Amino acid sequence: MAFTKGSSRLWGLGLGLVMAAAVSTASTAQEVIRIGAPLPLTGPLSPEGVKQQRGYNLWAKAANAKGGITAGGKTYKVEIVYVDYESNTPRAVQSAERLITSDKVNFLFSPFGSGAAKAASSVSERYRIPTIAATASSVEVYDQGYKYLFGTFTPNDTLTNPLADIVSKSGQNVKTIAIYARNDLFPRAIAKEMEKSAKARGIEVVSFDEYAIGTMDHASALTLMLQRKPDWVFGTGYINDLILMRRQMADLGVKPKVLTMIAGPAYQEFIDATGPLAQNISSAAWWHPAVAYNGTDIFGKTADYVAAFQAEYKSVPDYAEASASAAGAILQMAIAKAGTIDPEKVRDALASLDVTTFYGPVRFGPTGQIVSLEPPAFQIQDGKAKVFYPAAVKQTDLQFGIAR
Amino acid sequence: MIYLQILVNGLVLGGLYACIAVGFSLVWGVLNVINILHGTFVVLGSYIAYFAYVRLGIHPYFSIALAGAVLFAVGYAIQAGLINRVIGAPVLTTLVLTFGLDLILNNATLVAFSADYRTVQLAHPLGSKVVGGIVLPLDRVVAMLLALALTGLLYLVLVRSRIGRAIVAVRMDAEAAALMGVNVKRVYAITFGLGALMAGAAGSLLSLIFPISPLASTEYLSLAFVVCVLGGLGSILGAMVGGLALGIIQSFGALLIGPQHGLTVSFGLLILLLIFRPTGLMGKRGYE
């Protein structure tokens, strides 16, 4: 009895295997690469989540328009599996796990920002799924000794050092800086870097203040700042914080020689929302539509990427959107180089990649963070963001003084 | 001098806080409904002001009337059509209902307007005026004064007008009011409409100050909560005192302990108040 039961089980198993093999043979004509992308599509971070999604979608569309990704003689259609984690980091981690275990994705794009990317990286590391973070810059994300995580943003000091250099050597007598940061992983980290960059160049940091997430009023901090009369104000936060901050600066008459804000001015939305007050706000980001690279990736020249983006979305791409598209383009190049979608081999291909893309030169350091980019610094002049660094793509010189 | 400037900042902010909270307080006090929709009502008011300014050139000071009227109609319809059906039920039932309605309405605003931040950029802003070393941001000050005037007007409506007396009567004893010939369900709908009207008017004024986005609704809602608990639930004076107190406490908290603790200080104080004086600063309930 027991024997019969056991053998029927074996039969069942055998039949199942045969069927599974049949199904997989039938599907070879339509091989698909599935990439999981947990994104904050609703909730406070949704503007950022939507941007990243646009970037990924543009890449997937471009790749599929050319028949898909070719590796080892096979072509694969690209399918991005999105999960909305509602701007809730613990849920981002769960989503990453679910994408890997139940949606069986081959690769992963990290959730938004350094905090969530770091949290989710432990999941993809555990399952050995190559993961690209399109919007995580903090070194702390990459120094965990992980092998499967790669990132397309350089460390934060590559943004603050050029700014501090240019301002300190301008001859405009900028001696003091007031730093005002949102108490959140990235805004705080970049503010700390600015503090170091400024001190290293002999600029005195007269104040370093933080404000809580959800702050609806900056008047007290700005009133204090007004009394200290800094030559340079460095404010960090997300777009809504910075709009409010800029308006209250005008209300209270805080008028430094240099006003730098990160990360909002890179978005056209910020320029529209602050109007004349945007004049002469400086900023830095990892990419800008004005840079010009001759890429060997699917998008080719930077200008071609910008044109493709504009044709699709009727707007100019910003660095977050470009970085998301670049994450896809880079993954595609690594798969082609590996000649397979085997995760180990793709991981090795990513680690040894040395290419130029529309986004810039791409080479990952030992921690997985990109080391080859030279992030541009720019200033809003007459309603447009214009690059003043690096010299190769410079459009203007840094202007001093701000509107009211 | 800096203390005086911080006090002015706090008062200006607090006046706006009061205006955000007063409609919420009214609905809670009279209907015993915790209206989770309130934040979204404020946001809708801001959008009405935004489009009125961008498309029709109507200054947000004047679109208060438009936003108020539209939101009154919305509020009246929601109460008469939906909330009145469960009005006698325990507070959790109405809470869940307004929570669900808020999910729908807030996501509808996200779909309609997207999460992008917009601002009303006045062609002729009033700018700032320095009086005796104190900086007065005039647009904010005028918005604050209008907010306080509106709140005062609501108070007058409640104590002087026939419908106001009916609202107060229903608040005190709905059954007795019904026996005196008051149409209680209608009074409920009007009260909820008035709450929404105040939210819309506040939203219109706030469009001059805060970036406009559907995402702001939770912040407005939690502010309304804090102000109500701080000032004492269910009275207009309570909302006014609570709003001004919160504005001043936040401003001085940020000055004395650091900007990152402005919120910590106000919420810490809130906990203390809940422990030692759970009726709020004004300590009186009702609209008598």
Side-chain angles (χ1 to χ4, degrees), chain A residues 182-260:
Chain A
R182 175 177 157 119
N183 191 358
D184 202 348
L185 200 122
F186 169 71
R188 201 168 168 279
I190 190 114
K192 286 276 175 205
E193 284 308 327
M194 188 69 238
E195 189 180 24
K196 282 191 227 156
S197 302
K199 277 184 180 161
R201 286 158 186 83
I203 299 173
E204 185 199 348
V205 180
V206 290
S207 65
F208 187 104
D209 286 315
E210 290 165 24
Y211 60 93
I213 298 168
T215 295
M216 291 175 80
D217 185 70
H218 300 291
S220 293
L222 294 174
T223 303
L224 275 174
M225 202 184 278
L226 191 63
Q227 297 212 319
R228 295 181 181 128
K229 296 190 173 40
D231 298 323
W232 187 0
V233 171
F234 186 83
T236 75
Y238 294 112
I239 189 161
N240 54 328
D241 304 316
L242 297 178
I243 294 170
L244 186 61
M245 202 187 291
R246 181 65 190 94
R247 288 188 144 200
Q248 290 203 281
M249 283 179 75
D251 279 347
L252 293 165
V254 181
K255 228 182 143 198
K257 287 181 194 164
V258 185
L259 171 60
T260 304

Side-chain angles (χ1 to χ4, degrees), chain A residues 43-44 46 209-210 212-213 216-217 219-221 223-224 227 239-240 243-244 247-248 251-252 269 272-273 275-276 404, chain B residues 2 5-6 9 13 115-117 119-121 128 135 137 140 208-211 215 220 223 251 254-255 259-260 263:
Chain A
S46 65
D209 286 315
E210 290 165 24
I213 298 168
M216 291 175 80
D217 185 70
S220 293
T223 303
L224 275 174
Q227 297 212 319
I239 189 161
N240 54 328
I243 294 170
L244 186 61
R247 288 188 144 200
Q248 290 203 281
D251 279 347
L252 293 165
E269 194 188 330
D272 293 341
R404 17 184 202 107
Chain B
I2 187 161
Q5 176 73 55
I6 298 289
N9 296 346
L13 189 65
D116 284 357
Y117 289 96
T119 56
V120 172
Q121 288 169 43
S128 299
V135 184
R140 269 187 180 239
L208 283 169
I209 291 156
F210 299 118
L215 306 175
Y220 293 145
L223 261 178
S251 300
L255 175 76
Q260 65 267 50
L263 290 176

Side-chain angles (χ1 to χ4, degrees), chain B residues 25-174:
Chain B
S25 164
L26 177 72
V27 169
W28 197 347
V30 175
L31 276 67
N32 198 27
V33 167
I34 299 173
N35 179 23
I36 305 293
L37 280 158
H38 194 76
T40 304
F41 283 167
V42 176
V43 168
L44 280 177
S46 292
Y47 274 107
I48 291 171
Y50 172 81
F51 286 111
Y53 187 71
V54 173
R55 300 273 160 83
L56 309 169
I58 302 174
H59 194 290
Y61 293 157
F62 300 106
S63 53
I64 295 173
L66 181 65
V70 172
L71 266 299
F72 179 84
V74 171
Y76 189 98
I78 287 177
Q79 178 70 33
L82 296 167
I83 304 178
N84 266 349
R85 292 166 191 271
V86 293
I87 193 73
V91 73
L92 196 62
T93 311
T94 49
L95 180 86
V96 169
L97 178 62
T98 58
F99 180 74
L101 288 172
D102 185 55
L103 282 181
I104 296 171
L105 195 62
N106 195 250
N107 279 292
T109 53
L110 265 174
V111 171
F113 307 124
S114 86
D116 284 357
Y117 289 96
R118 302 172 203 229
T119 56
V120 172
Q121 288 169 43
L122 296 176
H124 307 287
L126 298 176
S128 299
K129 198 168 166 61
V130 182
V131 180
I134 304 295
V135 184
L136 293 175
L138 290 181
D139 279 310
R140 269 187 180 239
V141 171
V142 173
M144 186 271 279
L145 292 176
L146 281 172
L148 289 182
L150 269 172
T151 310
L153 197 68
L154 180 67
Y155 179 76
L156 280 184
V157 165
L158 285 183
V159 292
R160 291 288 160 79
S161 75
R162 208 178 149 75
I163 185 67
R165 295 323 291 163
I167 290 173
V168 173
V170 168
R171 157 80 186 84
M172 292 165 85
D173 190 333

